[in-house]
Amino acid sequence: MFEPVLLKNIEVANGHLLSAYEAGGGYQALRKVLSEYTPDEVVELVKQSNLRGRGGAGFPTGMKWSFVPKGGDKPKYLCCNADEGEPGTFKDRIIMERDPHQLIEGLAVSGYAIGAETAYVYVRGEYVTAIRRLEQAIAEAHERGYLGKGILGSDFNFAVYIHCGAGAYICGEETAMLESLEGKRAQPRLKPPFPAVAGLYASPTVINNVETLACVPHIVTRGAAWFRGIGPDKSPGPKLYCVSGQVKKPGLYELPMGIPLKELVEEHAGGPLPGRKIKAVIPGGVSAPVIPERELEVGMDFDSLAAAGSMLGSAGVIVVDDSTCMVKVATRIIEFFHHESCGKCTPCREGLNWVVKVLRRIEAGEGAPGDLEQLDMLCKGIFGNTFCALGDGAAMGLRAALKHFRDEFVAHIEEGRCPYH
């Protein structure tokens, strides 16, 4: 029987307060690592758990930590990516609003592991409640000795600061987030050097997602074998799935990694609305290529979705039913990416501009022969030719829509109207 751990406190009365978190065993992981583990042993523990980043890329967390160089005269930084700008995603917000101490403990344990004494939580500015709860939680943790100088009688010093973003989707990309933290325009950096070597202020920096960091205390208290025992071997552990769209029970679900997408949507989320049928599902936020209804048996983990031509991304599951025009869906998604493009890379800046023009023309019933071939060509010019994954996500999503629902695009062009209107 699966036991939720990441969301166990969200229904607890005043679960955002330190007293409630301690009552549920909070900060025991921090006590344990400071008294029983060296930093290298914590890194090795997380490696053994095979925790993979929950922000979208799925990179092994322990391996990322191990890239931080030992010694040196530069300070090391830990950055928490809490920007969560991916449409359809709201898992990190729930953790920060309902159980912020879980994140703070994860930050402290991770900071100890990599040798960092300073952490920055980069939160999107719209998350007002989350920001206030985090500020309150940081103050409580300082007062109780879980943050600050000489934590719990050890020689470990650690401080957490909050930085509020200003609504730019691009700040979800780790190097653009670092640029923003430094007070610069948020645009991706060319890699290498990677942040682990030259990140914030050209110093060694680890960037992890909120959910990733929230997993760390549970790995310490329950063990790497417990974590590996949940879900598939290559991407184990509990996972938060954000379900939205045309479904009976939208919401946030904590389930094992690798659960079939069909089970998640039809059993846990209640299936389609009355009288409707599921047409397609976007499994990982709008950056993830759409999956048609006939392929919903795919497992919700990094490798299974990649094999199916999509990706887990932020696990923002968006359900689309048979009343919806896929041309309209594709157009709205590309409009979003075009609006949020930082403009640094020509293929993304100019290519998405042309893609939007063509899609709007098709949706308005003014499509012409050759438009779909032009869209294919534009996607080819964007994909793989940009500094960050924004352009790739847009191109992959449109390619999937054209592959699985090309008949709808053709109907718009041939009939000169939207068949769904």
Side-chain angles (χ1 to χ4, degrees):
M1 185 68 181
F2 177 72
E3 175 195 358
V5 291
L6 300 173
L7 299 183
K8 68 177 183 178
N9 290 333
I10 66 164
E11 298 298 337
V12 174
N14 295 317
H16 62 286
L17 298 178
L18 178 57
S19 56
Y21 187 65
E22 287 180 321
Y27 288 106
Q28 292 306 308
L30 181 59
R31 291 183 184 275
K32 187 173 183 179
V33 298
L34 292 180
S35 61
E36 301 178 20
Y37 288 81
T38 65
D40 286 346
E41 287 171 341
V42 180
V43 173
E44 186 58 34
L45 178 69
V46 174
K47 274 186 178 179
Q48 290 173 6
S49 74
N50 202 16
L51 168 63
R52 293 174 66 175
R54 297 326 200 210
F59 194 82
T61 304
M63 186 180 296
K64 180 186 278 192
W65 291 1
S66 70
F67 292 157
V68 175
K70 308 293 183 189
D73 56 353
K74 290 184 177 180
K76 298 176 178 64
Y77 294 105
L78 175 62
C79 291
C80 171
N81 189 340
D83 188 64
E84 198 166 52
E86 188 73 22
T89 313
F90 43 87
K91 60 188 178 66
D92 298 339
R93 174 174 63 85
I94 298 299
I95 291 175
M96 292 186 287
E97 288 182 356
R98 307 282 186 87
D99 198 4
H101 284 282
Q102 184 177 203
L103 171 59
I104 291 171
E105 184 174 18
L107 282 164
V109 173
S110 305
Y112 175 75
I114 67 169
E117 294 190 351
T118 305
Y120 292 97
V121 182
Y122 190 101
V123 190
R124 60 184 297 179
E126 298 93 331
Y127 280 4
V128 176
T129 301
I131 291 165
R132 289 173 179 166
R133 292 271 171 90
L134 276 173
E135 288 173 342
Q136 181 183 8
I138 289 169
E140 286 184 312
H142 264 287
E143 189 175 334
R144 197 64 64 90
Y146 297 128
L147 293 176
K149 302 283 188 183
I151 294 173
L152 299 175
S154 70
D155 59 358
F156 176 51
N157 306 321
F158 194 67
V160 177
Y161 301 97
I162 298 172
H163 184 96
C164 301
Y169 173 78
I170 194 66
C171 290
E173 197 280 331
E174 61 179 17
T175 61
M177 185 192 76
L178 294 179
E179 290 286 290
S180 180
L181 272 171
E182 293 179 3
K184 302 170 186 173
R185 182 175 181 177
Q187 292 188 325
R189 298 174 180 175
L190 183 62
K191 294 181 283 190
F194 291 93
V197 176
L200 187 64
Y201 307 122
S203 298
T205 305
V206 165
I207 301 148
N208 286 134
N209 170 260
V210 171
E211 185 188 351
T212 310
L213 291 163
C215 288
V216 172
H218 303 291
I219 293 170
V220 172
T221 55
R222 294 168 179 254
W226 161 80
F227 194 85
R228 284 200 317 273
I230 301 170
D233 292 339
K234 291 186 178 179
S235 41
K239 182 75 188 83
L240 299 181
Y241 301 100
C242 317
V243 183
S244 63
Q246 294 157 320
V247 68
K248 285 179 182 173
K249 296 191 292 184
L252 184 61
Y253 296 87
E254 181 179 355
L255 295 162
M257 183 77 89
I259 185 172
L261 180 54
K262 192 178 185 71
E263 179 185 336
L264 172 64
V265 170
E266 296 193 351
E267 295 182 25
H268 297 279
L273 299 174
R276 310 291 355 162
K277 294 180 180 178
I278 293 173
K279 176 189 277 190
V281 177
I282 299 172
V286 296
S287 297
V290 65
I291 293 180
E293 188 277 335
R294 63 183 178 274
E295 298 177 14
L296 293 189
E297 291 292 349
V298 64
M300 285 292 285
D301 62 84
F302 297 105
D303 300 309
S304 299
L305 282 167
S310 189
M311 60 184 181
L312 181 62
S314 60
V317 179
I318 304 171
V319 181
V320 180
D321 72 20
D322 59 356
S323 68
T324 303
C325 169
M326 291 305 296
V327 177
K328 186 175 182 179
V329 171
T331 303
R332 185 69 196 94
I333 289 173
I334 296 297
E335 285 175 340
F336 169 79
F337 283 120
H338 173 51
H339 177 76
E340 293 296 341
S341 172
C342 75
K344 184 171 186 174
C345 304
T346 304
C348 181
R349 182 185 67 244
E350 301 299 330
L352 291 181
N353 180 48
W354 281 105
V355 171
V356 166
K357 287 180 179 178
V358 175
L359 284 173
R360 283 176 175 167
R361 194 170 69 235
I362 293 172
E363 192 191 1
E366 299 170 1
D371 277 353
L372 300 188
E373 290 73 21
Q374 186 178 21
L375 288 174
D376 290 332
M377 181 191 71
L378 287 166
C379 287
K380 185 178 180 181
I382 296 168
F383 187 80
N385 295 318
T386 56
F387 271 39
C388 81
L390 188 149
D392 289 353
M396 288 168 61
L398 180 56
R399 278 175 166 175
L402 288 167
K403 174 184 176 183
H404 298 301
F405 302 99
R406 201 173 188 90
D407 57 330
E408 293 193 24
F409 288 85
V410 171
H412 277 71
I413 295 171
E414 292 182 348
E415 298 176 22
R417 64 182 183 87
C418 175
Y420 287 82
H421 288 168

